[in-house]
Amino acid sequence: MSVIPTRPVATHEAVSASLRVVESAIALARAETKLALIRGRELATHALALVLGGLVAMTFLALTLVIVSLSPVSAAPSAALRVAWLPLPWPFLLSLSASVAITLAGTWVAIAALRRLKSISSADQTGEGT
């Protein structure tokens, strides 16, 4: 005669196994939710940096164009710095260099944020395929 486990023992083991599966599923769902929130925050941060860097770059590029277009009006021969017999006033050089520098900094921030966004999205696509 073979020994068959009684009904209550088998039922108890099945219930405890089911509870462990449910607890593991809940823990996995919590971990996935935390991961999704962290990814979302990271993507939002990089997107915000991209937008703000682009706005700064475009604004100061427009300012640079205004400075260059108004330079003949604001050029004063008395405050001129002679370089190859071309009068270049100090205020013009200072404002132009500051505007170009801020334009380049905004462009660099926007491009760096775009590269990070692309690397994150490519990492997500390769991670989903495996």
Side-chain angles (χ1 to χ4, degrees):
M1 288 191 1
S2 65
V3 178
I4 299 175
T6 61
R7 275 282 208 203
V9 173
T11 306
H12 179 53
E13 289 176 3
V15 169
S16 66
S18 296
L19 286 175
R20 285 193 302 270
V21 169
V22 169
E23 288 172 354
S24 297
I26 291 172
L28 179 62
R30 286 181 181 163
E32 288 289 334
T33 303
K34 286 180 184 178
L35 181 63
L37 288 175
I38 290 171
R39 286 286 179 163
R41 186 176 62 202
E42 185 179 14
L43 287 173
T45 302
H46 293 313
L48 184 65
L50 174 65
V51 169
L52 291 178
L55 283 173
V56 167
M58 288 186 294
T59 302
F60 280 93
L61 178 64
L63 179 63
T64 301
L65 294 175
V66 167
I67 290 170
V68 169
S69 65
L70 292 178
S71 66
V73 174
S74 64
S78 62
L81 167 68
R82 291 218 172 255
V83 176
W85 299 282
L86 190 64
L88 296 174
W90 282 105
F92 168 72
L93 288 177
L94 184 63
S95 61
L96 183 65
S97 62
S99 180
V100 168
I102 295 173
T103 300
L104 292 175
T107 304
W108 179 77
V109 167
I111 290 173
L114 182 64
R115 286 182 182 161
R116 285 190 300 262
L117 280 173
K118 283 183 179 180
S119 70
I120 289 171
S121 66
S122 67
D124 284 346
Q125 289 174 355
T126 57
E128 290 174 2
T130 58

